[in-house]
Amino acid sequence: MSVLSIPAAAWRAGLALSAALALSASGAQARPPAKPAAAFEAPIAQGPKPWTHERFDDAPQSFSFAVVADLESGYRPGVFEVAVAELSLLRPAFIMTVGDMIEGGVEDEAELERQWTAFNAMVARAPAPFFHVAGNHDMVNLTQRKVWERRYGRRYYHFLYKDVLFLVLDTEDYPDAKMAEISRERTAYLARKKVDLAAARKLPYAARSETKTGEISQAQSAYFEKVLADHPKVRWTVAIMHKPVYARSDGLGFGRIEQALQGRRYTVLNGHLHHYAYAERKGQDYIMLGTTGGERAFDGSRGYLDHVMWITMGADGPSIANLRLDGVLDKTGEIPAGGAALCLGSGGPNCPVPTH
């Protein structure tokens, strides 16, 4: 092929390659990259300075994430949307939940898909990724378990973020036959509760310990034992779940996982009872969140609040703050997403009148 028959693009590419080879052969080197600008610069080099020190609290390994609480079981429209709008302003690295994201309680797959699609549409308004955690409303029967696994895969799992290990538990981890039995009892209980609460409280479902503590299978315990053994030197571990399964004392509780956690620094978070509570257990923080739109009291009682939890993970561990939804204002000084028209605190003009 003659030189004249070479396509123009190929000819230009050949010239560029020849030039690069010539520079390399002659020892010429590319210009070194510019030095990145310092994060902090000020024109005061010597003498007194109008600031305390320059040890800025923004180490590369630090990050903040948010946790939202129950919004189902007494769902109040609009409240969770306020939380999402506020988190969009606060910009956490990611958002987690303690479960009860949909009403559930049915075996109609199309209806369950509709509920999940509606919930995910709310969550999608926040820029951060959202990590699902199953609550009893999300996983109350075998059909809901099937829909969950089809949409989200694993019911319990783990992940690492900046050397912090997150354990996500499924506290509705019953054998199939037991889950079906609990679901039948729950349906009967809720039907009776609508007409006669006293009679409902005498039904088998009301006496089940699982309604308060949930259950962890031996397979799930073994899974997390291996996860912990495989990650012995992470700087912190966070275990997050729906029901306080650590309150269960038999072999179907948190015991095996809790034993595997000994000797390391960790935090346990859960929901379910719609009442904020803190306890120190085995020298660690065990925290039950309140609500982010679920049923709650409005009489100012301690522990009843709509909030999101804000956790900043620093070199020395987590710094935990609770942000009331009626206390996060946008740049105009208003509660975003129409929150001023909702009851987010207690005793406001839009709140239910307390009954005693």
Side-chain angles (χ1 to χ4, degrees):
M1 178 184 291
S2 68
V3 172
L4 292 176
S5 66
I6 298 176
W11 175 256
R12 287 193 296 271
L15 287 176
L17 178 60
S18 297
L21 291 173
L23 283 172
S24 176
S26 66
Q29 297 184 6
R31 181 181 298 172
K35 183 179 179 180
F40 173 73
E41 296 183 41
I44 307 173
Q46 302 294 331
K49 299 179 178 66
W51 53 84
T52 57
H53 58 78
E54 296 173 17
R55 300 184 302 276
F56 292 93
D57 193 13
D58 60 351
Q61 286 297 94
S62 296
F63 66 95
S64 296
F65 67 99
V67 187
V68 296
D70 301 35
L71 65 147
E72 289 298 342
S73 189
Y75 174 75
R76 290 175 287 128
V79 177
F80 190 76
E81 289 91 327
V82 172
V84 172
E86 293 178 353
L87 291 176
S88 297
L89 298 175
L90 294 165
R91 303 301 291 268
F94 56 90
I95 304 167
M96 301 198 72
T97 176
V98 289
D100 274 8
M101 295 164 279
I102 65 169
E103 177 61 27
V106 299
E107 299 195 45
D108 181 338
E109 292 191 36
E111 172 58 18
L112 292 170
E113 291 284 357
R114 186 199 66 76
Q115 291 184 23
W116 279 120
T117 298
F119 175 80
N120 287 342
M122 289 192 291
V123 169
R125 296 169 191 160
F130 182 90
F131 287 79
H132 288 278
V133 180
N136 56 298
H137 276 260
D138 313 312
M139 198 83 70
V140 77
N141 57 51
L142 294 172
T143 302
Q144 287 192 247
R145 181 182 281 179
K146 181 173 70 172
V147 171
W148 173 286
E149 291 174 341
R150 185 169 65 224
R151 290 186 70 110
Y152 307 120
R154 297 184 180 184
R155 294 181 283 115
Y156 52 86
Y157 60 98
H158 74 281
F159 65 93
L160 280 163
Y161 189 83
K162 293 189 177 182
D163 200 34
V164 175
L165 177 63
F166 289 82
L167 312 180
V168 180
L169 280 68
D170 171 20
T171 55
E172 301 301 301
D173 193 17
Y174 311 109
D176 287 1
K178 186 173 184 178
M179 173 169 265
E181 180 182 19
I182 291 174
S183 179
R184 288 192 299 270
E185 291 181 1
R186 179 179 183 271
T187 299
Y189 170 83
L190 292 176
R192 182 67 62 87
K193 182 181 176 183
K194 291 179 180 179
V195 296
D196 189 340
L197 178 59
R201 287 173 175 166
K202 298 177 182 178
L203 294 176
Y205 181 77
R208 276 191 177 271
S209 62
E210 290 90 349
T211 65
K212 298 179 179 64
T213 64
E215 183 170 309
I216 297 291
S217 69
Q218 298 299 326
Q220 183 175 173
S221 290
Y223 170 83
F224 285 116
E225 285 175 332
K226 184 176 187 307
V227 168
L228 290 165
D230 290 344
H231 301 86
K233 295 184 178 180
V234 295
R235 59 190 177 114
W236 206 273
T237 301
V238 177
I240 190 164
M241 64 196 77
H242 183 62
K243 290 178 178 175
V245 72
Y246 49 83
R248 187 165 182 161
S249 58
D250 61 9
L252 298 175
F254 194 53
R256 285 176 57 182
I257 301 171
E258 199 170 48
Q259 182 62 36
L261 284 164
Q262 297 310 298
R264 66 171 69 206
R265 301 186 297 175
Y266 69 92
T267 302
V268 174
L269 305 174
N270 73 277
H272 184 55
L273 297 183
H274 296 206
H275 182 270
Y276 190 92
Y278 169 85
E280 185 177 301
R281 177 183 169 101
K282 300 183 181 296
Q284 310 295 332
D285 292 335
Y286 282 61
I287 304 175
M288 180 162 61
L289 280 72
T291 53
T292 313
E295 182 180 21
R296 46 157 287 210
F298 293 94
D299 57 5
S301 300
R302 182 177 174 83
Y304 289 108
L305 74 162
D306 285 304
H307 70 119
V308 297
M309 179 174 281
W310 187 267
I311 302 178
T312 298
M313 192 67 67
D316 56 348
S319 176
I320 300 175
N322 289 289
L323 310 179
R324 296 175 63 109
L325 297 191
D326 57 355
V328 180
L329 310 181
D330 64 18
K331 64 183 180 181
T332 71
E334 298 292 337
I335 303 174
L342 304 173
C343 181
L344 303 175
S346 59
N350 301 307
C351 292
V353 176
T355 56
H356 300 283

